[in-house]
Amino acid sequence: MTWEKFDKNFDEKFLNDVNEQAKKGNTFEELPLGKYEVSIDSMELTESKAGDPMVKYCFTVVQGDYEGRKIFRNQLVYKGDEHDKKRIGSELTFLKKLDSSRTISFEGFAKFDELIKEVFKEIDKLGLEYLLEIKENKGYRYFDIVEVFEPEIEDTPF
């Protein structure tokens, strides 16, 4: 493959800017605390780098100054310590706020994985969007679903 066809798109300013950003390090900028209207692109139960169960969400901002930006929520739900009940309970509360018709409960991780997949499939099919609030407490960001938006159904004349 010849890469020259791509290289013609870059001027000296672009190349300087890219190299300057690389010198500064991580260029990812988190969104400011606040409320964002979002859709959910994905949600899954997976393992953290340490091998602990965590739920991963990917949201896309659908309106406003940050439209098109991604928001990632990676929530550890089990670590084998005294905080596990609170972690799992918090995740169940978050799932309930997504407004699925599913009964939200925890009966072990195999069923929890199925539940997360079913909830995502349902909300994706319905086209639900959410008002997601990003807050901070003691230096940690956390997320809350404030409101659920159902898609507008256009009236069709007969």
Side-chain angles (χ1 to χ4, degrees):
M1 172 177 249
T2 60
W3 296 103
E4 289 78 18
K5 68 180 179 181
F6 296 103
D7 290 344
K8 67 181 178 181
N9 296 315
F10 306 129
D11 61 14
E12 189 172 330
K13 180 181 177 346
F14 178 89
L15 295 172
N16 288 336
D17 289 348
V18 167
N19 289 311
E20 193 59 38
Q21 283 180 352
K23 287 179 189 175
K24 293 177 184 176
N26 187 1
T27 58
F28 176 75
E29 186 178 317
E30 289 185 327
L31 293 178
L33 302 178
K35 295 178 181 177
Y36 301 92
E37 189 170 335
V38 299
S39 62
I40 300 179
D41 297 336
S42 64
M43 50 191 275
E44 66 176 331
L45 180 64
T46 186
E47 288 185 35
S48 70
K49 289 180 183 177
D52 299 317
M54 69 184 301
V55 182
K56 285 182 156 184
Y57 294 83
C58 177
F59 303 93
T60 297
V61 178
V62 296
Q63 278 191 351
D65 294 341
Y66 297 98
E67 184 174 347
R69 290 280 307 268
K70 301 291 184 187
I71 300 172
F72 301 97
R73 177 181 184 264
N74 298 324
Q75 188 62 48
L76 188 68
V77 291
Y78 181 83
K79 200 171 179 174
D81 64 19
E82 69 275 7
H83 302 291
D84 289 333
K85 289 179 187 175
K86 183 175 181 179
R87 286 186 192 103
I88 293 170
S90 292
E91 194 57 36
L92 294 174
T93 299
F94 192 85
L95 283 170
K96 285 178 184 176
K97 289 183 175 185
L98 297 179
D99 206 26
S100 160
S101 66
R102 306 283 181 229
T103 299
I104 306 298
S105 65
F106 184 79
E107 299 174 32
F109 283 106
K111 288 188 177 185
F112 194 52
D113 181 46
E114 290 175 27
L115 175 66
I116 290 169
K117 289 175 182 173
E118 290 171 359
V119 168
F120 177 68
K121 186 176 179 181
E122 179 181 338
I123 63 176
D124 188 50
K125 184 177 179 181
L126 293 172
L128 298 179
E129 293 180 350
Y130 304 92
L131 187 60
L132 178 73
E133 185 171 13
I134 303 173
K135 302 177 186 181
E136 190 172 85
N137 185 17
K138 297 179 184 177
Y140 293 100
R141 285 181 166 236
Y142 66 97
F143 303 83
D144 189 27
I145 299 293
V146 177
E147 191 173 346
V148 179
F149 304 109
E150 294 189 19
E152 293 181 19
I153 300 172
E154 294 182 26
D155 291 332
T156 54
F158 292 99

